[in-house]
Amino acid sequence: MTGMDPSADPADPLSRWQQLTREFALGSSSMPLHARISQLLAGLIESGDLAPGDQLPAERQIAELLGVSIAPVRQAILEVAGRGLLERRRGRGTFVRGPGLDEKISILHSFTESMRDQHAEVETQLLRQERVPTPAEAGRALGPGERNAVLVERIAILSREPVALLQAYLSPRAFPGLVTEPLANHSLYETLRHRYGTVVTRAESVIELARATSAEAGQLGIPAGEPLLKVAGTSFADSGAAVEYFRVLYRGDRVRFHLDSHRDSDRVVRLVSNGDTGRRQSGRGPGGPDHQGPATTPTWPPGR
């Protein structure tokens, strides 16, 4: 793409788009019109002329700029969105999609540390940090007697877009004062290490598909019912004591996982029968204490 015209008004989006699309010509070509528009949009994104988070003009406005009807523009946008370069947000418009997140689950890593290793500028916004009645699954993880837990709930934002909802339940007796610790844009694991001398060394996790509830969809900026990657489990200190029960919901369109598998592991993956839909348990192979339960058990927590 050629450079922008210095006379163009950068504050006027349509003026900018006139410059970006000025080389588009409708001369004779064997390529279908929608394919040429698709090529134009993809080229603008790949060249950096359109940055992650940039909003496209309305389809009608693009059609007017290119001198075409709206139908090939709409088809082109759908094609480019299908390639993962654009995102259509209901009621808001079409935006350039930012880079996805890669999570490596063969190592014990916090989410903050994982993103730092990728040089990704991820912001974490604190949604809740308070004492709450302990949910049943958190109670089973933290042990009997933990009637209340400290809930730390945050949203991870990449390129101005929510990508993950992070929840952690911890014992207020094991971590007194945690409810007032500054955790916005701070690693929970680093706080536990520096403030309480607790180092997380192991975790048991389960990964499964889920659908966004209305509340979760609102927090992640997606329609209700959209697919999510759910990671839940328990992390442990080197003493063997449970540290937290965690639950992380990743947007399925923004995150992919890297697995590093070794043949000598006795961990297994079992199919879920129709009667077991929705149940997930960790197991160590046929004949184990929970051999009836389906399992996916990578030894990694998504971390915080």
Side-chain angles (χ1 to χ4, degrees):
M1 294 291 164
T2 59
M4 291 287 293
D5 186 339
S7 64
D9 181 2
D12 181 1
L14 287 183
S15 175
R16 176 172 180 256
W17 270 82
Q18 285 175 341
Q19 298 301 317
L20 291 175
T21 60
R22 63 184 175 182
E23 294 183 358
F24 186 86
L26 300 180
S28 60
S29 172
S30 59
M31 182 181 294
L33 184 55
H34 74 271
R36 296 184 62 209
I37 300 173
S38 175
Q39 186 180 68
L40 169 70
L41 295 175
L44 292 173
I45 295 170
E46 291 164 359
S47 67
D49 287 317
L50 293 179
D54 282 354
Q55 183 174 10
L56 271 63
E59 294 172 352
R60 174 186 53 78
Q61 292 174 319
I62 296 177
E64 291 175 356
L65 287 170
L66 300 180
V68 301
S69 65
I70 197 171
V73 171
R74 181 171 296 148
Q75 186 174 354
I77 289 176
L78 289 173
E79 287 183 0
V80 179
R83 292 165 56 183
L85 298 177
L86 293 174
E87 179 183 15
R88 295 165 65 85
R89 302 178 189 172
R90 186 177 302 172
R92 297 178 59 189
T94 302
F95 296 79
V96 178
R97 175 171 289 170
L101 299 179
D102 286 342
E103 283 282 32
K104 195 171 183 180
I105 62 177
S106 61
I107 57 176
L108 196 63
H109 231 41
S110 80
F111 182 88
T112 306
E113 292 166 345
S114 178
M115 295 302 98
R116 186 180 300 151
D117 287 349
Q118 297 182 53
H119 306 288
E121 296 183 2
V122 175
E123 174 190 0
T124 55
Q125 290 185 358
L126 189 63
L127 301 179
R128 298 174 67 188
Q129 185 178 352
E130 59 188 2
R131 290 184 64 145
V132 298
T134 306
E137 61 271 22
R140 288 191 292 269
L142 299 177
E146 297 289 355
R147 302 183 63 178
N148 292 287
V150 176
L151 167 61
V152 179
E153 183 178 53
R154 294 180 294 172
I155 196 81
I157 298 175
L158 176 67
S159 299
R160 296 176 288 176
E161 185 177 30
V163 294
L165 179 65
L166 304 92
Q167 298 172 332
Y169 293 88
L170 301 98
S171 166
R173 293 187 297 177
F175 305 107
L178 181 62
V179 73
T180 59
E181 285 292 318
L183 293 176
N185 284 318
H186 287 78
S187 167
L188 175 59
Y189 282 6
E190 290 180 358
T191 299
L192 296 179
R193 180 168 60 248
H194 296 151
R195 174 72 170 80
Y196 301 96
T198 297
V199 179
V200 176
T201 59
R202 183 176 70 87
E204 294 180 355
S205 311
V206 174
I207 302 177
E208 62 183 326
L209 294 177
R211 295 285 178 178
T213 65
S214 296
E216 294 162 352
Q219 291 168 318
L220 291 170
I222 58 176
E226 283 288 293
L228 301 171
L229 287 171
K230 174 184 173 183
V231 183
T234 308
S235 65
F236 301 88
D238 50 7
S239 64
V243 174
E244 62 166 339
Y245 173 80
F246 58 82
R247 180 174 180 265
V248 182
L249 296 173
Y250 295 97
R251 282 179 48 171
D253 61 338
R254 296 304 310 278
V255 179
R256 62 183 181 183
F257 290 97
H258 286 180
L259 283 146
D260 186 5
S261 302
H262 300 272
R263 184 64 182 88
D264 58 357
S265 173
D266 60 354
R267 301 285 184 168
V268 297
V269 176
R270 297 191 196 87
L271 298 179
V272 181
S273 66
N274 290 337
D276 289 331
T277 300
R279 295 174 52 215
R280 298 291 187 275
Q281 302 176 15
S282 60
R284 289 187 172 272
D290 58 346
H291 68 279
Q292 296 296 326
T296 59
T297 56
T299 55
W300 165 91
R304 270 57 55 209

